[in-house]
């Protein structure tokens, strides 16, 4: 491989920079003359370049001389960041071979080891300066990577160290022109670079000598300049002395100003502290000072007059505000604050004690003051109104709220006292109210008065609660023994107890519910407002959950004292409902007793009670589904529904126990009549009712029982034919359902009609076989022969069915005999049928149609089996119509 001298390499580097890299805005920093190892020796150059624009791009470019001329061209370019490894082959021995690992390994042979080392060093520096990429340098001397290359040869070839990289500057146009002009003067510069360099060195020495002579010629001027500098230094010393004296003078002034500044800072701190102290004092005075008027109101304020109550309310609110003020840190250690807090606590306890005693007296007085009976309300059956009491007590509502927030124990004690005394008051009033309601209710019929111990016109119940309790308790043990009396009462409800009595009972029951509803709602509204129980909070109630105890009058609610503080409730609505349960604990018992009495008087009263109670429950649930009234009426509604179901079961049991006389005709069965009465009454009562579904279910049960028992009675009937019993009763049922238009019984209505029609037809067919008995038997024989295969025209040749036999049978039924037989049939049908249903003419007309059908059938058989015989019946269809008409008219 040809070795290129340093001067030639410099010229090549300059030419490459100018022709290839400068147009592409690149700087050439390192170059090495190489050829590919192991191949034909074709020289080329590897160049390390950087871009002149940022971001800087570092590349390795392969440059080759063109085959067609003396210029160079770029052949291949690699990005330095793609270089992964540089292998110098041997770090200790001189070896011009080296490898560059890009996307593949490129093996090179440099013209000299120095050029290779210079080029590798240049790549290492470029990587360190611009890329900081982990390029592995294998078999490379560490000294080569850490230090700059010292030799001038390598410096010129590789571009030097980092300073050379930084200080490199492209030649300007003028410099290029000067160099070219100089090289033109010295034509041998290219052919003999050493001679050109020696010429340049000589010229440089000449220039250096000229510069030294010029400097020596200007020595005089230098001396003058030095003298001027000495004078300037003297002036500077003088100025520094004056500045030092000034500084000493200003130091004392500075000390005085520092003292003044410190004094001003202390004054500012003092003013700030005084302002904060004033704010704290104003805060305590504004928020922890209670006026004398408020103190007087809390200690001696009038709790009876509206003005006094208003003053106490304002004072209590001011006291609560003072007690609840959020003190700042350290306030609680001040003796004045402690004194105020003790004063507030004393005022709070004093006023709470006064308020509690006053309200306790009001509750006790109210409980004893209205202890009289309901004599003044007897005529109207109304409950006393407590609106005045509620209106008076609501003036204390804000005070109760204050008590609830400050003295919880006294608040709960007042709640217990109110509930205790009001429950006694309401218990007396409600008991008297229901006593009068029972008197009025039981006085609706004389039978009821005699039954339940009512004497005289006053209508006073003898035995009071005990007699009514006996009525309630008797049920299960004496139900069987009293079945006959209950049946009589069921019958009495349909006959003796008229519509007016039931209407009166309905009005009394409605009046009772209408009086209880506003009473409970008003009391619940008052409790919520007075005791401030509208908010949903978790509280400890003043009352425990009621426990059921058995008393003489049934089940009542009692609250054991030891259990009063054991339970907590999720909301104050539960507390309201609990207080209402305690206050009105007797309502549910009294309502159940009243319902039992109404049911004893007339089992059909359960229909009225079910409708009324359902309506009131629906109304109460719309107002508040969780209210005491809604819950209580819902519980009572269950009892009413149970009584209604018992009434239906009683009706069904009566049907099953129904016995008919064996000596008289059946007619319309009693339980069919009772079902009609029940349906008419129920449709009147349940018109537009909320619980129509209960009635529809009862209808279905009753009608199925009616159907089943009608068939049972018809099967057991001995005096009246089964078809008559079925026909008459199902006709009555069909008429009833058609008239009342009960939609849930449409299927049963159609079934009743079907049964009535079937049994009517059956009865007519079975009865008509008797007037023409022999003729019927004869033609039945004829039809039997035809059925056996005898041709119709050959029947007359049968011995038993010849023409002579036919004429003989026909002669036995002349018109008079037929009419006589029909007359007897009419009388027999008349005996079978009852008068209530008026089906005689219907049955007689059906028989007429059936008789004509049979007559036509006989004539048809004569025409087909005895053709041309001239045999005819002794009577015609017109004769038959006259017979039926005359018989019907004669009866």
């Amino acid at each position: 491989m040809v070795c290129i001298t340093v001067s030639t390499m410099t010229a090549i580097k300059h030419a490459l920079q100018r022709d290839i890299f400068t147009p592409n805005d690149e700087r050439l920093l390192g170059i090495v003359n190489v050829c590919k190892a192991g191949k034909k020796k074709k020289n080329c150059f590897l160049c390390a370049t950087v871009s002149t624009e940022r971001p800087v791009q570092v590349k390795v470019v392969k440059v080759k001389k063109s085959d067609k001329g003396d210029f160079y061209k770029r052949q291949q370019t690699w990005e330095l960041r793609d270089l992964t490894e540089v292998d110098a082959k041997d770090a200790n021995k001189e070896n011009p071979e080296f490898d560059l690992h890009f996307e593949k390994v490129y093996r090179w042979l440099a013209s000299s080891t120095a050029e290779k080392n210079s080029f590798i060093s240049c790549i290492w520096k470029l990587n360190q300066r611009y890329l900081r990429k982990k390029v592995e340098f294998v078999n490379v001397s560490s000294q080569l990577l850490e230090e700059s290359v010292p030799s001038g040869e390598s410096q010129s070839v590789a571009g030097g160290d980092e300073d050379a990289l930084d200080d490199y500057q492209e030649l300007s146009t003028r410099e290029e022109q000067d160099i070219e002009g100089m090289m033109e003067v010295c034509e041998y510069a290219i052919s003999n670079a050493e001679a050109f360099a020696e010429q340049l060195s000589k010229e440089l020495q000449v220039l250096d000598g000229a510069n030294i002579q010029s400097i020596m010629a200007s020595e005089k001027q230098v001396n003058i300049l030095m003298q001027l500098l000495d004078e300037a230094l003297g002036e500077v010393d003088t100025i520094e002395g004056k500045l030092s004296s000034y500084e000493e003078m200003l130091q004392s002034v500075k000390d005085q100003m520092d003292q003044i500044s410190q004094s001003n800072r202390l004054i500012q701190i003092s003013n700030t502290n005084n302002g904060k102290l004033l704010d704290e004092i104003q805060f305590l005075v504004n928020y922890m000072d209670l006026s004398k008027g408020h103190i007087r109101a809390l200690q001696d304020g009038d709790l009876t007059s509206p003005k006094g109550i208003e003053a106490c309310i304002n004072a209590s609110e001011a006291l609560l505000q003072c007690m609840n003020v959020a003190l700042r840190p350290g306030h609680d250690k001040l003796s004045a604050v402690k004194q105020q807090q003790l004063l507030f606590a004393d005022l709070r306890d004093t006023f709470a004690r006064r308020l509690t005693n006053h309200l306790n007296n009001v509750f006790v007085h109210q409980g004893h003051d209205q202890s009289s009976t309901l004599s003044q309300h007897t005529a109207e059956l109304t409950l006393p109104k407590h609106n005045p009491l509620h209106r008076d007590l609501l003036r204390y509502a804000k005070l109760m709220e204050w008590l609830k927030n400050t003295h919880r124990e006294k608040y709960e004690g007042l709640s217990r006292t109110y509930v205790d005394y009001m429950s006694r008051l309401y218990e007396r009033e409600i008991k008297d109210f229901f006593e009068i309601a029972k008197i009025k209710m039981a006085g609706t019929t004389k039978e009821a008065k005699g039954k339940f111990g009512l004497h005289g016109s006053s209508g006073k119940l003898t035995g009071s609660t005990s007699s009514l309790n006996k009525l309630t308790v008797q049920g299960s043990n004496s139900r069987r023994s009293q079945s006959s009396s209950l049946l009589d009462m069921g019958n009495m409800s349909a006959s003796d107890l008229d519509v007016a009595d039931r209407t009166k009972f309905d009005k009394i029951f409605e009046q009772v519910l209408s009086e209880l509803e506003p009473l409970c709602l008003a009391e619940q509204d008052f409790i919520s407002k007075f005791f401030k129980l509208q908010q949903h909070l978790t509280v400890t109630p003043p009352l425990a959950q009621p426990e059921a105890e058995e008393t003489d009058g049934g089940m009542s609610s009692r609250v054991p004292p030891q259990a009063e503080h054991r339970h907590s409730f999720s909301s104050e609505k539960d507390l309201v409902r609990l207080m209402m349960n305690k206050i009105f604990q007797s309502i549910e018992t009294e309502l159940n007793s009243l319902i039992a009495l109404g049911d004893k008087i007339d089992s059909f009263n359960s229909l009225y009670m079910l409708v009324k109670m359902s309506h009131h429950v629906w109304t109460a649930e719309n107002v508040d589904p969780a209210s005491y009234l809604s819950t209580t009426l819902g519980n009572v509604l269950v009892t009413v529904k149970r009584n209604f179901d018992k009434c239906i079961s009683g009706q069904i049991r009566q049907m099953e126990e129904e016995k008919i006389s064996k000596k008289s005709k059946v007619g319309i069965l009693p339980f069919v009549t009772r079902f009609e009465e029940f349906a008419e009454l129920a449709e009147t009562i349940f018109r537009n009712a909320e619980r129509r579904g209960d009635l529809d279910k009862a209808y279905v049960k009753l009608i199925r029982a009616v159907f089943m028992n009608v068939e049972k009675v018809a099967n057991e009937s001995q005096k009246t034919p089964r078809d008559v019993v079925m026909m008459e009763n199902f006709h009555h049922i069909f008429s009833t359902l058609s008239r009342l238009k009960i939609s849930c019984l449409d299927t049963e209505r159609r079934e009743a009609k079907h049964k009535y029609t079937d049994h009517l037809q059956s009865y007519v067919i079975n009865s008509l076989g008797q007037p023409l008995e022999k003729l019927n038997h004869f033609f039945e024989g004829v039809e039997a022969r035809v059925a056996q295969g005898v041709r119709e025209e050959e029947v007359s040749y049968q011995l038993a069915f010849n023409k002579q036999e036919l004429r003989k049978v026909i002669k036995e039924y002349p018109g008079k005999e037929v009419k006589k037989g029909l007359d007897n049939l009419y009388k027999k049908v008349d005996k079978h049928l009852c008068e209530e249903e008026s089906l005689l003419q219907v049955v007689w007309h059906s028989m007429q149609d059936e008789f004509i059908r049979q007559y036509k059938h006989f004539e048809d058989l004569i025409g087909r089996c005895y053709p041309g015989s001239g045999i005819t019946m002794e009577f015609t269809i017109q004769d038959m119509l006259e017979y039926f008409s005359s018989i019907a008219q004669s009866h």
Side-chain angles (χ1 to χ4, degrees), residues 772 775 806-818 855 859 862 870-877 879-880 883:
L772 305 176
L775 196 58
L806 176 58
R807 289 190 179 97
K808 187 188 297 185
V809 174
I810 290 176
K811 285 182 179 181
E812 292 184 12
Y813 293 100
K816 292 182 180 180
E817 289 296 325
V818 172
Y855 180 88
E859 282 190 335
I862 292 172
I871 301 173
T872 59
M873 302 290 286
E874 295 288 329
F875 55 91
T876 63
I877 292 178
D879 295 334
M880 282 192 301
Y883 298 157

Side-chain angles (χ1 to χ4, degrees), residues 502 505-506 509 598-599 602-614 640 643-645 647-648 651 677-686 689 691 695 698-699 702:
R502 287 176 177 164
F505 170 84
D506 185 36
F509 193 72
D599 191 54
D602 183 358
S603 60
F604 284 175
N605 284 338
S606 61
L607 278 69
Y608 290 98
M609 292 187 285
L610 180 63
V611 172
K612 295 299 181 184
M613 188 61 70
S614 300
V640 174
N643 289 343
F644 175 76
D645 293 339
C647 174
I648 302 302
Q651 294 287 325
E677 178 188 347
F678 173 84
E680 290 176 347
L681 179 64
E683 287 302 308
T684 303
I685 297 173
F686 277 81
R691 293 183 71 100
L695 179 63
Y699 274 148
L702 284 174

Side-chain angles (χ1 to χ4, degrees), residues 610 641 644 686 689-700 744:
L610 180 63
K641 177 62 169 58
F644 175 76
F686 277 81
E690 285 83 4
R691 293 183 71 100
R692 176 77 194 192
D694 294 329
L695 179 63
D696 291 343
K697 293 177 183 178
Y699 274 148
V700 175
C744 67

Side-chain angles (χ1 to χ4, degrees), residues 699-709 747-748 751:
Y699 274 148
V700 175
K701 291 181 181 179
L702 284 174
I703 199 67
R704 299 318 307 177
V706 169
F707 280 16
M708 183 180 65
N709 286 283
T747 303
E748 286 76 9
E751 183 179 352

Side-chain angles (χ1 to χ4, degrees), residues 1 32-36 42-46 98 108-110:
M1 184 175 181
V32 58
N33 183 18
V34 296
C35 65
K36 290 187 178 180
K42 290 184 178 181
N43 289 349
C44 61
F45 297 97
L46 288 180
F98 66 98
W108 306 101
L109 178 64

Side-chain angles (χ1 to χ4, degrees), residues 63 125-126 149 291 295 301 313 431 497-498 501 515 546 555 632 726 734 822 833 848 880 882:
V63 178
K125 291 177 182 178
L126 290 173
V149 179
S291 67
I295 295 176
I313 291 173
K431 183 178 180 180
L497 290 180
D498 56 11
D501 290 333
E515 287 293 320
M555 302 298 290
T632 303
M726 297 287 285
F734 170 70
L822 290 175
L833 299 178
Q848 174 181 299
M880 282 192 301
E882 292 178 359

